[in-house]
Amino acid sequence: MRILAADIGGTAIKVGEVTDSGELVSFSEHPSESKQGGPALMERLLRILDGYSIGISTAGQVDSVKGEILFANENIPNYTGMKIKEMLETRYHVPVAVENDVNAAAIGEGAFGAAKGFKDYLCLTYGTGIGGGIVLDGKVLHGLSGIAGEVGHIIIHKDGLPCACGASGCYECYASTTALVREAKKVCPRCEN
């Protein structure tokens, strides 16, 4: 069986084809162009996914049972409320699993990576934003509202920098790749790329 797993992020859509046993056969990366918004992002994803069984990891707060985006900040405009599972199952008539990208990374680390053999661990990711996945007794902790582990939105500076989530002083405003690039441009204004 051909299985395609896609990771939707604020910067790129990463796609890997795997075998039933989990062996990576191919990998590709596509610009997400996320500022165009959720509907345009999903249309790009649909074109990439034609002909595969589907597993999605995505930025944003995810209801993994319904496969919907509970909340996404302005890194991906108009993404909140996107019914990814329903949209993909309707179009492709195959089962679809949708999980928060960092929770998916945590699952991968437990199966194949640094957390292999551990039942309890924390996985942190640093990119466009900062995310956290908590695994207890071998299972992802989603929490009461489905957003456990959102460490990027811990407020570390009262009245600090404005965050895309609407709050101010969030950790990811200071320590994400986005924040690093912003600070580097202050030191080297001509370094646009």
Side-chain angles (χ1 to χ4, degrees):
M1 175 190 302
R2 294 166 62 199
I3 301 170
L4 200 69
D7 175 67
I8 302 169
T11 303
I13 300 172
K14 297 173 184 135
V15 180
E17 184 178 354
V18 296
T19 64
D20 288 346
S21 63
E23 178 187 352
L24 182 64
V25 176
S26 68
F27 175 82
S28 62
E29 194 168 322
H30 313 263
S32 63
E33 301 175 18
S34 60
K35 293 297 182 190
Q36 293 179 6
L41 177 69
M42 289 306 297
E43 188 52 44
R44 261 188 304 290
L45 178 67
L46 292 173
R47 285 194 305 271
I48 294 166
L49 294 181
D50 261 333
Y52 292 91
S53 298
I54 303 166
I56 299 292
S57 76
T58 181
Q61 298 170 0
V62 177
D63 179 329
S64 59
V65 175
K66 292 181 179 177
E68 297 177 7
I69 303 299
L70 295 171
F71 175 77
N73 62 33
E74 286 307 305
N75 288 333
I76 306 177
N78 305 312
Y79 200 42
T80 299
M82 193 68 58
K83 298 175 187 300
I84 297 173
K85 180 179 174 71
E86 178 183 307
M87 184 182 293
L88 295 175
E89 286 182 344
T90 298
R91 179 157 174 170
Y92 295 111
H93 308 288
V94 296
V96 173
V98 181
E99 182 59 89
N100 167 269
D101 54 356
V102 183
N103 288 342
I107 293 165
E109 287 296 330
F112 304 106
K116 190 172 184 173
F118 292 92
K119 293 182 95 173
D120 304 314
Y121 54 94
L122 172 67
C123 177
L124 298 176
T125 62
Y126 292 77
T128 306
I130 296 175
I134 302 167
V135 175
L136 296 176
D137 198 26
K139 297 177 184 156
V140 171
L141 177 67
H142 289 98
L144 183 62
S145 59
I147 60 170
E150 291 287 340
V151 298
H153 297 289
I154 294 172
I155 296 174
I156 61 169
H157 292 288
K158 184 178 184 245
D159 302 320
L161 295 171
C163 184
C165 75
S168 295
C170 293
Y171 178 44
E172 74 177 39
C173 293
Y174 299 90
S176 65
T177 303
T178 305
L180 177 64
V181 169
R182 181 190 69 236
E183 293 303 311
K185 285 180 180 177
K186 288 179 184 176
V187 175
C188 182
R190 68 179 185 279
C191 302
E192 283 301 313
N193 293 323

